């Protein structure tokens, strides 16, 4: 049986198989594209290349909406080819970051649960083409996504046309892992009927009118692997302090022995923190998160995690081989949902999650900067960290206490950009220790954060700042003219330490 026979079960749709070049020729200047893909998982493998090639002779610009960051170097290629007008809601590519910070195109840094809602409200431009990677298409036109769901359901619902890339390299066993549910418009909406991470509330695929599917392309390429670096001494220390905090909460009867569903952010630090749970005594854990990284698979394999709900599976090369060659072993313990549901405030508050996200830096009162280096340059974006932090039972932020070989303190007097205000930050953890900020006023927070979380080489200077600010008074004491001096010092002299020495 030819691949089109096993992966396209709708006879009419078999007539719509085209080349990537043909599909790329349908895209017009000024259009808005909704592309599948969430943190390197389930993104397109053929059309991005075809679009970039077309731009060499026929320049155009489009809005590119996705679930989150893309793999397969798509964001790099798009930035280099200069085909972007506006990009949202998240990216994590150095070349795209450069284009954003040079002002070459617009980037809307958006809470990841918001994009679908804004499409539904008609706030964002109409999607001209939803271009989605799929495992297969069913008789009734239902599209089975691959390793991520992201915003694909919303793009399919709101797009004028749909193009599908059926990826032969993605295992057919993925079928059945997805749970597609779209809330009704606001004002007509029932509560989302999800009360535990393992529940299913929707369909196994994206149900569309087959007439909307304009073209189908076949590809055969795995997702690009994640590049998280293995745990190091500092990230192990962060994990250790976090686990001490959680154990203490259990001892005091504030959390049950198997905790509550856990969310963990992206990146090396968050991955290492989850790995720390492997050596802990915690068992029968549940994950209700966004990206399922290697650490979640290790926790499932070790029998520490009973069930994991996410909206994408983003793995290293070795882990990808292990998981996708035996996906039947995982299918009953994993579910992939739209990011609107994985990150939905209603569900996060109902389940009472513990959320663990990584900060770029934090200030002495507990405000967190997750996105802007030096207060101006975009790193990746807020991602889902705001969806989770504000609505979780426990909003935890982790970071290394110093960066750039100690030239930067990640605890500063004042963050130059605030993604998570002091009101959304319950606990902060660094390699130095943890500070539980719940129920503490700003003046109580500052001493605790400096003592427990700041690196020893910056502690005295932070205390000096706080004490001098206290003389000025206020609910949240500051010396505004000096509040950002640490960042200015790094920018001009390459180290916050020079300020310390002077
Ligand atoms: N000031 C300036 N740069 C800093 C810094 C600080 N205070 N702290 C860290 N950095 C730099 C590091 O030096 C490193 O730079 P490099 O790429 O040149 O080596 C880079 O930031 C990444 O730091 P790293 O320690 O490797 O952390 P990470 O891979 O865990 O990523 C974030 C950390 C904050 C960038 C990442 O978690 C993120 O983008 N978070 C926001 C989105 C989010 O939270 N999503 C969660 C829901 S999925």
């Amino acid at each position: 049986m030819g691949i089109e026979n096993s992966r396209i079960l709708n006879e009419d749709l078999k007539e719509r198989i085209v080349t990537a070049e043909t599909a790329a020729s349908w895209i017009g200047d000024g259009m808005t594209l909704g592309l599948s893909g969430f943190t390197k998982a389930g993104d397109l493998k053929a059309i991005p290349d075809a679009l970039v090639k077309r731009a060499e002779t026929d320049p155009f610009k489009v809005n590119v909406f996705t679930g989150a960051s893309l793999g397969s170097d798509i964001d790099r290629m798009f930035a280099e080819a200069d085909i972007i007008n506006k990009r949202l809601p998240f990216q994590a590519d150095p070349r795209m970051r450069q284009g954003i910070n040079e002002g070459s195109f617009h980037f809307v840094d958006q809470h990841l649960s918001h994009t679908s809602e804004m499409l539904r409200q008609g706030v964002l431009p109409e999607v001209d083409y939803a271009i989605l990677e799929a495992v297969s298409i069913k008789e009734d036109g239902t599209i089975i996504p691959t390793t991520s769901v992201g915003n694909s359901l919303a793009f399919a619902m709101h797009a004028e046309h749909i193009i599908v890339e059926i990826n032969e390299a993605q295992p057919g066993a993925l079928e059945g892992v997805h749970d597609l549910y779209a809330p009704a418009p606001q004002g007509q909406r029932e509560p989302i009927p999800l009360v535990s991470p393992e529940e299913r509330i929707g369909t196994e695929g994206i149900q569309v009118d087959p007439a909307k599917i304009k073209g189908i392309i076949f590809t055969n390429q795995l997702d690009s692997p994640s590049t998280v670096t293995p745990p190091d001494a500092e990230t192990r220390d962060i994990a250790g302090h976090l686990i001490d905090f959680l154990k203490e909460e259990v001892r005091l009867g504030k959390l049950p022995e198997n905790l509550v569903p856990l969310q963990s952010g992206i990146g090396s630090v968050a991955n290492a923190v989850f790995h720390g749970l492997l050596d802990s005594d915690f068992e029968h854990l549940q994950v209700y998160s966004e990206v399922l990284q290697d650490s979640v698979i290790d926790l499932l394999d070790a029998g520490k995690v009973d069930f994991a709900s996410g909206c994408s599976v983003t793995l290293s090369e070795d882990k990808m081989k292990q998981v996708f060659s035996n996906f039947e072993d995982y299918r009953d313990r994993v579910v992939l949902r739209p990011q609107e549901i994985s990150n939905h405030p209603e569900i996060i508050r109902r389940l009472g999650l513990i959320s663990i996200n990584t900060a770029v830096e934090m200030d002495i009162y507990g405000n967190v900067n997750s996105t802007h280096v030096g207060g101006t340059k975009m790193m990746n974006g807020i991602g889902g960290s705001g969806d989770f932090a504000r609505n979780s039972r426990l909003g935890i932020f982790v970071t290394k206490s110093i960066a750039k070989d100690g030239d930067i303190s990640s605890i500063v007097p004042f963050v130059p950009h605030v993604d998570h205000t002091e009101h959304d930050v319950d606990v902060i953890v660094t390699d130095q220790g943890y500070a539980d900020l719940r129920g503490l006023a700003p003046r109580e927070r500052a001493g605790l954060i400096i003592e427990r979380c700041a690196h020893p080489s910056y502690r005295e200077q932070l205390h000096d700042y706080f004490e001098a600010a206290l003389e000025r008074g206020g609910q949240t004491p500051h010396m505004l003219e000096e509040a950002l001096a640490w960042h200015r010092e790094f920018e001009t002299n390459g180290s916050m330490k020079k300020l310390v020495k002077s």
Side-chain angles (χ1 to χ4, degrees):
M1 184 158 63
I3 188 75
E4 66 273 21
N5 287 325
S6 61
R7 296 230 177 178
I8 307 177
L9 299 181
N10 178 303
E11 289 303 320
D12 291 345
L13 289 179
K14 286 180 187 164
E15 308 298 316
R16 294 187 213 159
I17 298 171
V18 293
T19 63
E21 290 66 33
T22 300
S25 73
W26 297 334
I27 308 303
D29 186 43
M31 281 187 176
T32 296
L33 311 182
L35 309 187
S36 66
F38 193 105
T39 314
K40 294 189 164 198
D43 42 38
L44 303 167
K45 309 298 189 289
I47 292 185
D49 273 308
L51 284 172
V52 165
K53 283 207 184 78
R54 198 193 115 190
E56 286 170 11
T57 50
D58 175 19
F60 62 92
K61 282 195 197 283
V62 284
N63 297 326
V64 174
F65 299 175
T66 60
S69 55
L70 299 174
S72 313
D73 277 339
I74 299 171
D75 273 329
R76 176 185 62 72
M77 291 188 313
F78 281 0
E80 281 173 359
D82 197 22
I83 64 167
I84 302 235
N85 172 44
K86 185 173 278 184
R87 176 83 178 86
L88 68 77
F90 187 80
Q91 60 73 47
D93 177 78
R95 179 62 184 81
M96 175 142 301
R97 190 178 292 151
Q98 183 192 332
I100 292 167
N101 290 324
E102 285 168 352
S104 306
F105 44 84
H106 299 292
F107 173 55
V108 182
D109 177 20
Q110 206 169 54
H111 292 303
L112 296 187
S113 72
H114 282 195
T115 314
S116 298
E117 203 80 90
M118 287 191 185
L119 286 169
R120 196 175 290 121
Q121 293 163 357
V123 171
L124 293 174
E126 285 291 312
V127 176
D128 295 290
Y129 279 89
I131 315 180
L132 312 176
E133 184 176 85
V135 169
S136 59
I137 306 179
K138 302 285 144 203
E139 291 89 336
D140 64 356
T142 296
I143 299 166
I144 306 295
T146 60
T147 44
S148 70
V149 177
N151 277 322
S152 295
L153 175 62
F155 293 150
M157 287 172 79
H158 296 282
E160 193 177 347
H161 305 288
I162 300 172
I163 303 172
V164 181
E165 279 195 4
I166 294 184
N167 187 345
E168 217 183 326
Q170 299 279 23
L174 279 167
E175 200 173 312
V177 80
H178 313 97
D179 186 49
L180 280 294
Y181 176 93
Q186 283 162 326
Q188 305 161 25
R189 186 176 296 177
E190 297 290 325
I192 299 172
L194 185 75
V195 294
S196 64
E198 72 279 12
E199 275 182 345
R200 292 177 163 276
I201 57 171
T203 56
E204 289 191 356
I206 301 172
Q207 294 180 334
V208 298
D209 173 1
K212 269 171 80 166
I213 300 179
K214 184 164 171 178
I216 300 170
I217 290 128
F218 275 86
T219 65
N220 192 336
Q221 185 188 320
L222 284 174
D223 290 335
S224 42
S226 76
T227 49
V228 288
T229 49
D232 59 21
E234 282 110 329
T235 55
R236 277 199 199 95
D237 285 347
I238 294 173
H241 297 309
L242 177 61
I243 286 161
D244 287 348
F245 164 74
L246 295 174
K247 279 188 187 156
E248 186 62 3
E249 290 288 288
V250 173
R251 194 184 69 76
L252 295 171
K254 294 188 204 166
L255 285 174
E257 280 192 2
N258 66 335
L259 304 177
V260 289
L262 301 166
Q263 175 264 339
S264 139
I266 53 153
S268 308
V269 177
N271 197 50
V273 165
F274 253 32
H275 262 132
L277 289 168
L278 272 177
D279 305 321
S280 74
D281 297 331
F282 292 115
E283 286 179 335
H284 300 299
L285 301 169
Q286 290 184 314
V287 170
Y288 193 83
S289 198
E290 203 183 77
V291 187
L292 306 180
Q293 302 192 95
D294 281 20
S295 48
V296 172
I297 300 298
D298 290 335
L299 288 165
L300 283 165
D301 289 346
K304 293 276 183 190
V305 163
D306 290 345
F307 195 88
S309 166
C311 74
S312 81
V313 195
T314 302
L315 303 175
S316 64
E317 200 164 355
D318 289 348
K319 205 50 88 185
M320 224 187 287
K321 277 187 202 137
Q322 174 204 320
V323 171
F324 294 131
S325 54
N326 293 299
F327 200 71
E328 286 81 3
D329 289 355
Y330 296 93
R331 205 170 39 192
D332 294 342
R333 294 181 289 156
V334 173
V335 64
L336 297 181
R337 310 177 188 282
Q339 67 198 70
E340 180 175 23
I341 302 299
S342 63
N343 291 30
H344 203 288
E346 176 189 334
I347 298 167
I348 294 167
R349 186 66 71 91
R350 179 181 298 140
L351 298 182
L353 300 194
I354 296 173
S355 74
I356 306 158
N357 291 291
T358 311
V360 170
E361 62 185 344
M362 304 153 175
D363 72 25
I364 56 172
Y365 297 114
N367 299 290
V368 166
N369 173 11
S370 293
T371 55
H372 283 67
V373 173
T376 57
K377 293 206 166 60
M378 176 53 62
M379 173 66 106
N380 298 326
I382 193 167
S385 56
D387 292 324
F388 287 102
R390 171 158 292 179
N391 301 297
S392 288
R393 170 177 181 153
L394 260 174
I396 302 175
F397 282 92
V398 298
T399 189
K400 293 184 180 181
S401 61
I402 47 175
K404 303 292 174 209
D405 297 325
D407 283 328
I408 291 178
S409 170
S410 300
I411 308 291
V412 291
F414 200 67
V415 285
H417 178 92
V418 187
D419 292 292
H420 311 286
T421 74
E422 51 162 319
H423 312 285
D424 297 331
V425 180
D426 295 318
V427 179
I428 67 173
V429 187
T430 69
D431 43 289
Q432 301 297 315
Y434 69 82
D436 180 358
L437 308 178
R438 290 170 299 172
L440 299 187
R443 288 167 185 244
E444 295 176 291
R445 289 172 162 224
L448 195 68
I449 292 173
I450 296 169
E451 246 351 273
R452 297 271 182 88
C453 296
H455 192 270
S457 60
Y458 286 102
R459 244 176 238 162
E460 193 185 334
Q461 208 68 19
L462 286 164
H463 276 306
D464 288 350
Y465 176 87
F466 178 50
E467 276 157 29
L470 277 175
E471 288 176 20
R472 306 245 184 124
Q475 160 77 359
T476 307
H478 268 301
M479 300 182 287
L480 289 181
E481 73 285 5
E482 286 186 33
L484 299 178
W486 293 41
H487 297 85
R488 198 185 55 229
E489 195 67 15
F490 178 75
E491 198 176 68
T492 40
N493 295 319
S495 176
M496 289 180 176
K497 275 200 181 134
K498 299 207 171 138
L499 184 83
V500 175
K501 283 179 200 145
S502 65

